[in-house]
Amino acid sequence: AQSVTQLDSQVPVFEEAPVELRCNYSSSVSVYLFWYVQYPNQGLQLLLKYLSGSTLVKGINGFEAEFNKSQTSFHLRKPSVHISDTAEYFCAVRRRSGGGADGLTFGKGTHLIIQP
Amino acid sequence: EAQVTQNPRYLITVTGKKLTVTCSQNMNHEYMSWYRQDPGLGLRQIYYSMNVEVTDKGDVPEGYKVSRKEKRNFPLILESPSPNQTSLYFCASSLSVQTGGLGELFFGEGSRLTVL
């Protein structure tokens, strides 16, 4: 079974400041890693994903994440945030191989609050 | 346009009155799933389906039923809704990881259900 821990339920940041949202996962098998964003009153949108290859992954809206296998982490970063980045961010994993449950396991989310 | 469509988007009902939330995808995805989202709990999987006529329980299946008679449709059925099923529900679909899909889930816009 997999589990995902998002270490901060809420992160307040000033506009134009950098931000890091932390995500750690636990899994007995190899997984794909994802970050999804949910803007107020909307569905989930894929921000970025790690499948294989380079451990630094770039996504939409200037976000990037780094996969660290030894620390089982997949932290999300942005060098300069904007008011429009205010949203709920979810880290998720999905097992690579078949057998058993085949869905995404989500963390509980981090609410990013941008302060002017 | 590739999409996952849920209906209704908003519903207020009373305890015990059976309801169905429909979900349809036009991407020929094998895998479909239902999640519920509750404050502080993130997204939790209710049921999933690996293909037509193949369904299985997720993490929180109690009080729900599903069926997968056609590849494109995956309705969520609440036979006797109760107030603790008040939640935001998401349907999602993807190519199956087991058949070589890369894991990304595509989400519907969500259905907000209130049970009085």
Side-chain angles (χ1 to χ4, degrees), chain A residues 36 38 94 96 99 103-104, chain B residues 31 35 37 94 97-98 103 105:
Chain A
Y36 282 83
Q38 184 181 31
R94 189 175 192 183
R96 289 174 179 265
L104 283 178
Chain B
Y31 178 89
Y35 290 84
Q37 183 182 14
S94 79
V97 172
Q98 291 187 345
L105 276 181

Side-chain angles (χ1 to χ4, degrees), chain A residues 10 12 14 20 22 31 34-35 47-49 62 66-67 71 77 82 85 91 96 102 116:
Chain A
Q10 198 166 282
F14 286 107
E20 179 179 80
R22 297 179 293 170
V31 294
F34 305 85
W35 276 98
L47 203 54
L48 51 78
K49 58 188 175 186
E66 185 153 23
F67 169 55
Q71 297 186 6
R77 294 191 287 259
H82 302 284
D85 292 323
C91 181
R96 289 174 179 265
D102 189 26

Side-chain angles (χ1 to χ4, degrees), chain A residues 82-99:
Chain A
H82 302 284
I83 288 287
S84 59
D85 292 323
T86 296
E88 192 85 17
Y89 291 81
F90 293 96
C91 181
V93 301
R94 189 175 192 183
R95 59 188 295 151
R96 289 174 179 265
S97 57

Side-chain angles (χ1 to χ4, degrees), chain B residues 20-82:
Chain B
T20 299
V21 186
T22 64
C23 175
S24 180
Q25 51 93 6
N26 63 359
M27 295 170 278
N28 202 35
H29 286 162
E30 300 94 354
Y31 178 89
M32 297 185 75
S33 180
W34 278 102
Y35 290 84
R36 61 177 289 173
Q37 183 182 14
D38 302 288
L41 298 177
L43 285 95
R44 295 176 293 168
Q45 190 178 48
I46 303 170
Y47 267 95
Y48 64 96
S49 169
M50 303 287 282
N51 214 323
V52 176
E53 302 291 2
V54 181
T55 63
D56 209 344
K57 297 177 181 178
D59 299 317
V60 288
E62 294 77 21
Y64 304 95
K65 286 175 59 176
V66 293
S67 68
R68 187 91 182 272
K69 294 183 170 56
E70 306 165 284
K71 197 171 188 179
R72 63 183 293 127
N73 296 323
F74 190 46
L76 179 70
I77 303 157
L78 285 73
E79 293 271 1
S80 182
S82 63

